[in-house]
Amino acid sequence: MRDWTCPFCPLLCDDITTIVHGDGALDAPDVDCPRLTHALTWFSGPSASQPAIDDQDTDLESAVQRAVEILKGASRPLFGGLATDVAGARALYPLAAGCGAILDHLHGDAMAASTAALQDRGAFFTTLSEVRARADLLVVFACQPSVSYPRFYERVLGATEHARDLIFVGCEVDPAADIVENTSTHSILKDADPYDILAIWSALTEGTDGRTAASICGDTGIAHALVDLAERVNAARYALVVYEPAALPGPHAALLIEAVNRIVKTVNRTTRAGALALGGDDGALSVNQAVTWLSGFPLRTRVSMPTRLAQEPPLDHDPMRYRTQRLLAALEVNALLWIASFRPEPLPPNLADNVPVIVLGHPAMRAMLGARTAPTVFIPVATPGVDSGGHLFRVDGSVVAPLSAARASALPTVAAIAARLSGLLDSRSLP
Amino acid sequence: MSLTRLRGGTLYDPANGANAERRDLYMRDGRLVAAEPGASIDHDFDAAGMIVMAGGIDLHSHIGGGKTNLSRLLLPEDHRGSGAEGGGEQPINGRYLRLPSCGVCTPGTLATGYRYAEMGYTAAFEPAMMPSNARHTHLEMGDTPIIDHGAYVMLGNDELFLQLLAERDSFERLRDYVGWTMHASKALGVKVVNPGGISAFKFNQRSLNVDEQHVHYGITPRDVLRTLSRALSELGVPHPLHVHASNLGVPGNIDSTIATMDAADGLPIHLTHIQFHSYGVEGPRKFSSGARTIADAVNARPNVSIDVGQIIFGQTVTASGDTMMQFRNAPLGSPKKWIVGDIECDAGCGIVPFRYREQSYVNALQWIIGLEIFLLIDDPWRVSMTTDHPNGGPFTSYPHLIRLLMDKGFRDEQLAKLNPEAQVASALPELTREFSLYDIAIITRAGPARLLGLKDRGHLGVGAAADIAVYRDEADKERMFTSPAYVFKDGQLVARDGTLVATPTGGIHYVSPAFDRGIEKTLRAYGAANLVGNPVHAAISDDEICTCCRGGRLLPVACRLPS
C-alpha cells in the first residue's frame, strides 16, 4: 500500500509504503523510523483475539453486556487512556454523558501543562510547512526531537535547499539533526536551568534599554550565551522555537511553556518567529480537540449524567482534580474504562485491584491484564490506520490526517463499541 | 409519508413576494407541498396569529475549525457556569436530548447547533476555512447538530496562489486552482482575508494597502481581488467572492474599503463585517463614522453585497485569519491573552478576546456605525444580518439586534446609555427608519439564501425545504425572536417555545465547480517542495465528507453553466 499514513506518532508521516503479509503482519521496509518499526512488532501476526470477562474468553455480546453493567453500577467512572481517534472521541462523549464520566488522557500531564499555559496567556505558534518553507533559524529548547519523533528533521527540513542554523538550547545537539543538508548545529547552555535560561532570554528579548546584559543577569556565561542567542533570533528572517512539553521538567512545565511563547510574542514585534510544541501522541491532541469542540472544555472534564443533582454543573473542568493518577490514588473513581487502541498499554499505576475495569484495547492487551479481584472486561478493538480508517490531528494542531486501514480486520472500532454501550445504557430507564 | 399542516399563520416570504399573507402551509417528506384537497392531515399545528418565516440563515458565523476551537481553549472562563441555563439538559427517559455543552461567545459545537435551532435558525456558514484545516472544520460543523452548514475556503494568502500570480501564470491555471481548492475542501464559496496581507505578515510586512505591493511577491491586494472574483465568476460559483478587506479596524479605512469594492471590476463581490471597515478620521479623536460614505458606495454599486458585523456590548473573542491586524490589535484586547499562528503556507489565525464597553468612545461608535450601515443601505437584499459571530458578539444576540433595527424608541434608549462624545458623533438619532418584518425576513433568510445560491432554502414556496420558524407576534421583538413557537427542520419539529424536541443531523452545502485536472500536476510539484503533507491526501472525497459530517445529507449547490 502506497502513501500510507502512520498513526503511531503525531508527525503522521503520510509517505510510507507498507507491505501486508498473508498472516496480516505489516512491514514498511523503505522507512527508517525506529518508532514505526517497534510499533509494527505489535502487528506481526493475525489481529484475532477474543473478548474476555474476568480473564475467561467470551463473545463480544456478553462482553458488551457486562461492560454496561459495570458502567451502570458506577457513580463515578473514569474514561482513561483515551488512545483513540476523532471518531472514538466523538462516540465516547455521549457515553461519558450517559454515565457521568471524567475524561483524561494517557498523556494528560503534558497536555494539561500546554492547556494551562494557553488558557492563561495564549500562544504564538507555527506549523510544519511554515517551518519547512520559511525558518532559517531553529532553536530547539531542552529536548531531543528525534527520540520521540524520529523523522522530525527528515520530514520537516529534508530535501530543501534552505540554509538553516539549528541551535540547541539547554540540551545537547540532537545527533539525528545531521541528516539535514545546508545546516549548522551547535548547543549552548546544555546544563543550565531551563527556568533561568528562559527568564534571562525573555528579559534580553524585551530589550536592554541601553543597559548591558550584565546589569540584567550578571556577567556570567549564561548571559553572554543568551545575548548572542537573542541577537541571532533578531537577525533571523523567521525563527522557530521548538519544545516538547512531555520532556520539560515537571510538575510546573506550564511556566516554561508560557515563557517560550512570551519570548516568541516579543520577538514578533520586530521580526518573525513561531513556536512549535511536539506532543499530542496516542490521540491526545485529537481527543482533546474533539472534546473541546463538543463540550467547550478540554480534557480533565467531568460530564455529568442526566440524573445529576440540581446543583451539579453539567460540565466541570478541573485539571488538578481530574488527573488520572490522583483520582486512582485517592480512590475517587469506582470504575475505569481504559482505551488503548494504538498499542498495548498497561493499566495505570495506582489502580486499585477492586476497581472494575473495562478495556477497549489492542488485542495484545489481553495477556497483560491477568487476574484481578474486581470485574474486568476486555474487548479487543481496531487500531486506526491499521485495522480501520479514521482521523488524527497532526502534531501542530492545524492539520487533520485521514487514515486508511492497512489490512483487512474484523475488529470493531472504539467508536462502534462506545456507540453500542451508549445505546444499551440509554435503554436502562425505558419500560 | 405523513402530511403536516401549519394552519392560519401570517407569512413573510420575500422571495415569493408574500408580505403578511395569511395562508396554510403543507409539508411532506421534508418539503413544502401544495395543498392536497381531501388528503388526511397527519400532524396539524395551529399558527393562527403567528408570524411564519423560512428558517434563519447566517451567512457568516465562525462555528467551526481551528481558530474557533482555539478560542474555546483560550477562554475556559467563558464556559464555566454557562451551560445550565434554560434547563435544556433535563433528561427525557433518563437520556439527554441535548448533551452537555457550554460557552457564551465560544460555545461548544453542540450548544451552537441547539441555540441556533431554538432561535429559529436552520443554517449557518463558516466563513474562514483554510484548505489545510478543511477536515477539522467539517468535523466540527458535522458535530453542530440540527442546522445545515457549509464553509468558504480561504484563498489569496496561500503561497502557491501568490506565486502563480507573481509569475503572471495564465489566468486559466489560477482559475483551475481555485476550482480544485473548492472541490478538494468541499467548500460553498471562497473567502479572501486581508488579500495578500496574511502572507505579507509572514515576510514581516506590517501593513498592506489595496494598491501596495506585497514585499516578497510584488503583487497587490487589488490583483488578488480581481483574479479571485473573475475566477469565481467563470467557474459559475453562486456566492460572490467573500472579502474581509484590507486595514480591518484602522481609522480611515473607508478609502481602502471602497477601493476593495472597485477591485472586482463590476463583478459580484461580498464585503463581510463591513462595520469594521467603515472608519473615518474626523473629529478630535481622529476616529469617526464612515457609515454614510460606505452606504453611499454600496448603494451606487449594484454588484456589491455586504454583511454588517454589528458589535454587541459585553465580553467576546475575535477570531480571524487576519494575523497582520490581530497581532497589531492584540494590545487592545481584554483579558490580556491572545493567540497568533502562521499556518501551512495557507494563511494563519489570530485570536484576541475583546470586551466592548458602552462607555468606550471607540466601542460606542463601532456600535453606532453598524446600525447606521443597516439603516442607510437602501436595498435589504444586499445586506445580511451578522455580528460576525463571535467577533462582534455572539449569534445569540440576534434577537436583540432585530429589536434595535425594528424599534426606533428602543434604539434611542440604548444610544442614550453610551459614551456621550460618541452619541454626538452619531447620525443615528436622525435615522428614523424601522425595519419591517418583511425587511427582517430579507436580511436574515431570503437575502442570504439568494447570495449563496440556495434555491430551495430561505423561502416558503412549494418545493422548498420545510425549514420554518413560527414566531408569536409580540411587541417586544427581542422576546419574539428569542423563542419561536415552532421550528421545523426539513419538516420535522425540532423546537417548541424555545425548547428543543428533536436533534437531527444537519446537511452540508457545497459546490463542485468544473476545472481542468491538469492543475494537479502543479499542486504535486509545489507540495513536494514546500509542504510537509503528501498532496495525494489533500482532497476530501464524498465518502469522507459523509463521515466528517456524521452522515448528514450532502446538499450540492449548482454552479451556473458558462454562458
Side-chain angles (χ1 to χ4, degrees):
Chain A
M1 181 176 180
R2 287 168 56 85
D3 300 315
W4 178 69
T5 302
C6 167
F8 299 114
C9 106
L11 288 179
L12 299 174
C13 301
D14 55 3
D15 58 345
I16 298 168
T17 299
T18 53
I19 297 165
V20 187
H21 298 286
D23 61 355
L26 294 176
D27 219 351
D30 303 333
V31 183
D32 181 15
C33 176
R35 190 163 172 181
L36 173 59
T37 306
H38 181 60
L40 291 180
T41 62
W42 305 317
F43 301 89
S44 57
S47 64
S49 153
Q50 285 283 108
I53 297 174
D54 300 337
D55 210 20
Q56 302 296 311
D57 281 357
T58 186
D59 57 283
L60 181 60
E61 192 53 40
S62 308
V64 165
Q65 289 294 347
R66 189 77 185 89
V68 169
E69 283 166 28
I70 290 173
L71 291 176
K72 281 183 182 176
S75 57
R76 245 178 119 72
L78 167 65
F79 290 7
L82 297 184
T84 181
D85 61 353
V86 173
R90 280 173 143 189
L92 285 165
Y93 187 70
L95 181 63
C99 57
I102 296 160
L103 300 163
D104 187 24
H105 193 274
L106 184 61
H107 305 302
D109 284 341
M111 291 295 294
S114 299
T115 302
L118 191 84
Q119 289 175 334
D120 290 345
R121 296 288 289 164
F124 203 121
F125 70 93
T126 189
T127 67
L128 300 186
S129 296
E130 293 290 349
V131 176
R132 182 179 181 80
R134 231 175 283 287
D136 52 345
L137 173 63
L138 285 82
V139 177
V140 180
F141 179 72
C143 64
Q144 273 208 10
S146 70
V147 174
S148 294
Y149 312 104
R151 295 184 72 205
F152 173 74
Y153 300 100
E154 178 199 346
R155 289 284 292 169
V156 179
L157 308 177
T160 58
E161 310 270 294
H162 306 280
R164 311 179 202 257
D165 292 330
L166 268 71
I167 306 178
F168 291 81
V169 179
C171 56
E172 304 267 14
V173 170
D174 186 345
D178 288 348
I179 66 149
V180 190
E181 291 173 8
N182 279 328
T183 297
S184 74
T185 56
H186 74 279
S187 151
I188 59 168
L189 304 174
K190 64 185 168 62
D191 298 318
D193 177 90
Y195 290 90
D196 290 346
I197 293 175
L198 293 179
I200 297 167
W201 183 12
S202 182
L204 292 168
T205 303
E206 277 291 342
T208 49
D209 287 336
R211 287 175 299 156
T212 61
S215 73
I216 292 178
C217 49
D219 192 13
T220 60
I222 187 164
H224 293 299
L226 289 172
V227 166
D228 181 55
L229 178 68
E231 280 170 5
R232 296 189 60 167
V233 169
N234 245 336
R237 264 197 328 274
Y238 193 96
L240 169 73
V241 183
V242 58
Y243 63 100
E244 216 176 299
L248 295 171
H252 300 296
L255 297 173
L256 296 168
I257 298 170
E258 189 277 332
V260 165
N261 281 280
R262 169 197 286 264
I263 290 167
V264 172
K265 284 182 170 184
T266 307
V267 169
N268 275 291
R269 288 188 209 141
T270 47
T271 182
R272 289 308 328 276
L276 175 68
L278 299 179
D281 302 43
D282 298 300
L285 202 49
S286 306
V287 175
N288 197 54
Q289 288 269 2
V291 169
T292 301
W293 78 57
L294 289 164
S295 75
F297 280 125
L299 288 172
R300 296 196 168 167
T301 288
R302 177 167 189 240
V303 194
S304 288
M305 32 193 317
T307 49
R308 70 176 195 271
L309 302 170
Q311 70 275 19
E312 211 174 58
L315 290 157
D316 183 28
H317 171 58
D318 192 332
M320 304 288 204
R321 188 172 172 208
Y322 297 140
R323 180 173 175 252
T324 296
Q325 291 310 321
R326 201 201 67 81
L327 289 168
L328 295 174
L331 300 172
E332 284 188 17
V333 291
N334 49 16
L336 172 67
L337 174 62
W338 185 249
I339 318 278
S341 66
F342 295 104
R343 60 175 175 187
E345 188 66 50
L347 290 175
N350 291 345
L351 173 66
D353 201 41
N354 61 353
V355 173
V357 168
I358 304 158
V359 174
L360 308 186
H362 184 285
M365 274 199 74
R366 167 77 208 271
M368 298 165 77
L369 295 175
R372 300 182 70 250
T373 319
T376 304
V377 174
F378 172 71
I379 300 176
V381 291
T383 297
V386 175
D387 301 308
S388 71
H391 286 105
L392 283 175
F393 277 76
R394 203 175 70 185
V395 67
D396 46 8
S398 293
V399 176
V400 172
L403 306 176
S404 316
R407 62 179 186 181
S409 167
L411 289 171
T413 59
V414 168
I417 299 295
R420 289 261 356 244
L421 295 173
S422 284
L424 291 166
L425 209 57
D426 280 347
S427 63
R428 61 184 154 186
S429 43
L430 295 179
Chain B
M1 291 295 286
S2 62
L3 184 66
T4 300
R5 177 171 65 181
L6 183 64
R7 190 161 30 87
T10 304
L11 274 54
Y12 289 84
D13 182 17
N16 296 303
N19 189 356
E21 202 173 293
R22 194 168 164 176
R23 184 155 64 75
D24 296 346
L25 286 177
Y26 296 87
M27 301 169 239
R28 192 191 279 286
D29 299 335
R31 296 270 152 186
L32 287 163
V33 294
E36 299 173 24
S40 66
I41 309 286
D42 300 283
H43 306 283
D44 207 7
F45 293 90
D46 182 7
M50 297 186 193
I51 306 300
V52 180
M53 296 183 183
I57 297 173
D58 191 346
L59 65 46
H60 188 108
S61 174
H62 297 279
I63 55 172
K67 64 187 164 343
T68 302
N69 224 26
L70 280 172
S71 306
R72 296 184 188 107
L73 282 169
L74 183 65
L75 291 170
E77 59 269 44
D78 180 60
H79 301 83
R80 293 205 164 91
S82 70
E85 82 280 11
E89 281 81 5
Q90 292 310 307
I92 298 166
N93 290 334
R95 61 180 296 179
Y96 283 114
L97 174 66
R98 50 190 280 173
L99 289 160
S101 185
C102 60
V104 177
C105 58
T106 62
T109 54
L110 298 167
T112 300
Y114 301 151
R115 290 181 197 159
Y116 262 120
E118 285 167 347
M119 284 192 333
Y121 271 72
T122 51
F125 294 86
E126 163 57 50
M129 171 175 75
M130 273 177 281
S132 56
N133 192 240
R135 286 186 170 88
H136 177 183
T137 307
H138 286 302
L139 284 163
E140 285 201 24
M141 292 195 298
D143 279 339
T144 306
I146 310 171
I147 59 171
D148 295 331
H149 44 84
Y152 320 141
V153 66
M154 281 166 72
L155 282 170
N157 280 291
D158 49 308
E159 306 292 324
L160 177 56
F161 181 88
L162 297 174
Q163 255 175 44
L164 294 174
L165 197 61
E167 289 162 5
R168 310 223 169 275
D169 208 315
S170 76
F171 167 75
E172 287 70 26
R173 272 158 54 80
L174 278 157
R175 183 192 62 202
D176 288 335
Y177 173 54
V178 173
W180 179 87
T181 307
M182 297 191 80
H183 149 81
S185 62
K186 288 279 182 287
L188 179 64
V190 169
K191 183 188 195 197
V192 59
V193 174
N194 185 355
I198 303 171
S199 163
F201 180 60
K202 293 174 184 174
F203 293 90
N204 207 24
Q205 193 169 1
R206 302 298 169 128
S207 64
L208 185 61
N209 220 331
V210 179
D211 290 304
E212 198 175 342
Q213 288 193 343
H214 183 293
V215 69
H216 180 73
Y217 292 110
I219 55 87
T220 65
R222 187 183 296 275
D223 298 332
V224 174
L225 291 160
R226 181 184 287 143
T227 308
L228 285 173
S229 51
R230 184 174 160 208
L232 290 177
S233 176
E234 292 197 12
L235 291 166
V237 173
H239 187 48
L241 180 63
H242 197 94
V243 182
H244 159 142
S246 312
N247 296 321
L248 180 139
V250 177
N253 60 13
I254 42 176
D255 295 339
S256 55
T257 303
I258 293 170
T260 299
M261 296 176 192
D262 290 335
D265 288 340
L267 291 172
I269 186 167
H270 182 89
L271 274 78
T272 190
H273 45 68
I274 202 164
Q275 177 276 127
F276 291 108
H277 305 269
S278 302
Y279 303 152
V281 286
E282 310 294 315
R285 304 233 194 181
K286 305 281 180 232
F287 182 74
S288 59
S289 169
R292 189 169 295 277
T293 312
I294 292 295
D296 288 348
V298 173
N299 286 335
R301 289 167 178 77
N303 61 314
V304 174
S305 57
I306 63 133
D307 64 86
V308 173
Q310 176 67 34
I311 73 149
I312 300 292
F313 297 111
Q315 179 69 51
T316 195
V317 58
T318 64
S320 169
D322 195 344
T323 46
M324 179 186 267
M325 303 319 290
Q326 289 294 80
F327 181 76
R328 187 164 147 157
N329 292 329
L332 306 174
S334 172
K336 294 285 177 211
K337 50 181 180 178
W338 51 272
I339 303 171
V340 168
D342 300 315
I343 301 176
E344 286 303 279
C345 302
D346 250 357
C349 82
I351 297 152
V352 184
F354 265 90
R355 186 169 187 83
Y356 295 113
R357 294 182 303 113
E358 292 177 341
Q359 290 314 312
S360 149
Y361 171 79
V362 169
N363 297 162
L365 206 58
Q366 288 179 299
W367 182 89
I368 289 165
I369 291 166
L371 292 177
E372 287 175 351
I373 289 170
F374 272 115
L375 299 169
L376 287 168
I377 294 181
D378 301 330
D379 178 6
W381 287 96
R382 294 196 280 128
V383 179
S384 291
M385 192 184 83
T386 67
T387 56
D388 185 17
H389 165 81
N391 295 346
F395 67 82
T396 41
S397 324
Y398 286 167
H400 176 76
L401 179 51
I402 289 173
R403 186 170 179 202
L404 287 169
L405 296 173
M406 293 189 73
D407 185 341
K408 161 84 169 139
F410 179 65
R411 198 157 70 218
D412 288 343
E413 271 172 39
Q414 302 306 306
L415 180 65
K417 296 179 187 170
L418 307 188
N419 175 290
E421 275 183 83
Q423 291 184 47
V424 174
S426 168
L428 214 47
E430 296 91 69
L431 299 176
T432 54
R433 181 174 173 190
E434 290 183 328
F435 275 59
S436 64
L437 286 169
Y438 192 76
D439 293 331
I440 293 295
I442 295 172
I443 66 170
T444 58
R445 43 269 278 167
R450 183 179 286 185
L451 282 169
L452 294 172
L454 311 179
K455 294 202 185 322
D456 62 351
R457 310 276 156 170
H459 71 92
L460 298 171
V462 166
D467 293 351
I468 304 169
V470 184
Y471 305 95
R472 295 182 199 283
D473 194 4
E474 298 188 50
D476 178 346
K477 299 305 176 198
E478 182 168 346
R479 214 169 97 176
M480 169 174 164
F481 281 95
T482 299
S483 304
Y486 309 110
V487 181
F488 298 90
K489 180 74 188 70
D490 295 308
Q492 181 183 10
L493 185 69
V494 292
R496 189 167 198 153
D497 292 315
T499 301
L500 290 182
V501 297
T503 56
T505 304
I508 169 176
H509 293 285
Y510 61 97
V511 293
S512 304
F515 60 92
D516 182 346
R517 294 248 169 200
I519 192 66
E520 290 177 356
K521 203 173 146 202
T522 307
L523 290 160
R524 275 196 299 274
Y526 168 79
N530 297 283
L531 304 180
V532 170
N534 184 339
V536 301
H537 301 301
I540 305 173
S541 69
D542 281 2
D543 282 349
E544 193 187 351
I545 199 72
C546 285
T547 309
C548 290
C549 297
R550 283 187 174 273
R553 285 198 298 157
L554 301 185
L555 304 167
V557 172
C559 289
R560 290 182 303 272
L561 294 171
S563 50

